[in-house]
Amino acid sequence: LEPNEINTWALFKKYKNDILFLGISSFEMYPRSSPNPFSSNFTNDLYTTIYPGFLQMERNPEQIFPKEVKTVLLSESDFKLDIPLEKSFAFEKKEKKKKKKKGTASLKKRYDWVYSGTDQDVADNCVGWSSYAKNWSFALEAMEVMCSPEFNLKGVVIASKNKQNTTACTIPPQCKGKVLQTTFLPQDEVFDYILESKFLFIPQIDDASPRVVTQALALNRPVLMNQNIVGGWKYINKKTGEFFHDLSNFRQSLSNILENERNQRYQPRQYVMDHLGNEKAGMA
């Protein structure tokens, strides 16, 4: 253990009988150990057993936590959504003025999809902790489909260029001219790209609390999500997006989200306002 970890454990042991400590799903597969080869690992029972209760995102918590640990289906990504909600309303207000000025009923979005990395490992061509966590290898396969003549979609891959904006991770050749790659961006700029896109693409699996998912929903954009994801699965329903299992059904799920978005069948922001955010999630 690192010195700061030793100190943290010492404080926990000192005060655990005086303060109610609860666990909460957040990082990678926490409280389970991560399969990410670039992560520091631990035994699966280390954090699942030390708290009397856990705010978690597991589909089957009874298989993860001992019977004496109380669990609630709740995680960090359920909260702090006021900013994207406000931004979505402001964006639509501007769009309404643009439509009135142009005399049109709708405006075409600049991009079809957006994929948000987390300061990708650009120096190693997107091989490293972040790229593994964001399932970059599958993202590349999915990009081949989305950029193919069959779909011919335009997308944004956030944080796939270095901070100097001089080097980018390799993407499929058929995506040339169709995919914009950016550096790591401030959150507000990420929101701008989501608003300019039809849907958010989430290929990752080892993510217990994908905050960008609820942020995208608050921005009124549906989500195309990997059904195998550890956390965040509870946000997807017929009003918020689509699941895919692997490449075998990716094309069908992609077609579904494009058709439903075009026909305005999703209501992701309303779902957030009805079920998520500090006030609603805090009363769950």
Side-chain angles (χ1 to χ4, degrees), residues 219-236:
L219 291 167
N220 213 23
R221 296 295 178 266
V223 176
L224 180 60
M225 178 185 284
N226 192 328
Q227 191 172 6
N228 301 299
I229 196 168
V230 174
W233 50 270
K234 70 173 186 178
Y235 302 127
I236 302 303

Side-chain angles (χ1 to χ4, degrees), residues 16-31:
K16 67 177 184 178
N17 294 323
D18 301 312
I19 299 173
L20 176 61
F21 288 94
L22 297 176
I24 184 166
S25 296
S26 55
F27 186 67
E28 295 187 289
M29 294 180 69
Y30 182 79

Side-chain angles (χ1 to χ4, degrees), residues 20 27 99 115 124 159 207 220 226 228 238 249 281:
L20 176 61
F27 186 67
K99 286 187 285 188
Y115 163 88
D124 296 311
D207 197 337
N220 213 23
N226 192 328
N228 301 299
K238 64 180 181 179
N249 71 338

Side-chain angles (χ1 to χ4, degrees), residues 8 35 44 58 89 102 104 107 281:
T8 299
N44 278 332
E58 298 283 351
F89 284 115
K102 293 185 176 182
T104 181
L107 294 173

Side-chain angles (χ1 to χ4, degrees), residues 120-127 162 167 169:
Q120 299 287 83
D121 313 278
V122 180
D124 296 311
N125 198 27
C126 278
V127 176
N162 64 0
T167 305
C169 294

Side-chain angles (χ1 to χ4, degrees), residues 132-231:
Y132 186 96
K134 296 295 183 178
N135 203 2
W136 177 252
S137 59
F138 181 85
L140 291 174
E141 293 181 292
M143 279 186 235
E144 290 183 2
V145 175
M146 292 190 286
C147 294
S148 69
E150 179 182 358
F151 291 97
N152 197 32
L153 303 181
K154 293 182 179 180
V156 183
V157 180
I158 295 171
S160 62
K161 296 187 78 173
N162 64 0
K163 291 183 173 65
Q164 295 75 33
N165 202 24
T166 57
T167 305
C169 294
T170 303
I171 60 175
Q174 55 265 54
C175 291
K176 184 177 180 181
K178 299 178 183 178
V179 171
L180 172 67
Q181 294 181 261
T182 79
T183 61
F184 181 79
L185 300 174
Q187 187 176 73
D188 195 57
E189 291 183 37
V190 174
F191 290 169
D192 288 337
Y193 279 113
I194 293 174
L195 285 167
E196 292 286 355
S197 303
K198 293 178 182 177
F199 67 89
L200 174 71
F201 172 48
I202 296 290
Q204 58 257 41
I205 297 173
D206 310 319
D207 197 337
S209 183
R211 183 172 296 280
V212 71
V213 170
T214 50
Q215 290 170 337
L217 297 179
L219 291 167
N220 213 23
R221 296 295 178 266
V223 176
L224 180 60
M225 178 185 284
N226 192 328
Q227 191 172 6
N228 301 299
I229 196 168
V230 174

Side-chain angles (χ1 to χ4, degrees), residues 222-280:
V223 176
L224 180 60
M225 178 185 284
N226 192 328
Q227 191 172 6
N228 301 299
I229 196 168
V230 174
W233 50 270
K234 70 173 186 178
Y235 302 127
I236 302 303
N237 54 61
K238 64 180 181 179
K239 294 297 184 181
T240 61
E242 305 290 333
F243 280 124
F244 64 88
H245 186 269
D246 52 31
L247 207 59
S248 66
N249 71 338
F250 181 76
R251 281 180 170 81
Q252 184 59 58
S253 297
L254 179 59
S255 296
N256 291 345
I257 200 167
L258 290 170
E259 179 184 355
N260 290 333
E261 189 277 337
R262 182 171 57 252
N263 291 296
Q264 300 181 355
R265 292 172 183 156
Y266 296 118
Q267 297 177 359
R269 183 174 60 200
Q270 190 60 51
Y271 170 81
V272 169
M273 295 172 66
D274 290 343
H275 301 284
L276 303 176
N278 294 0
E279 184 177 342
K280 293 292 176 65

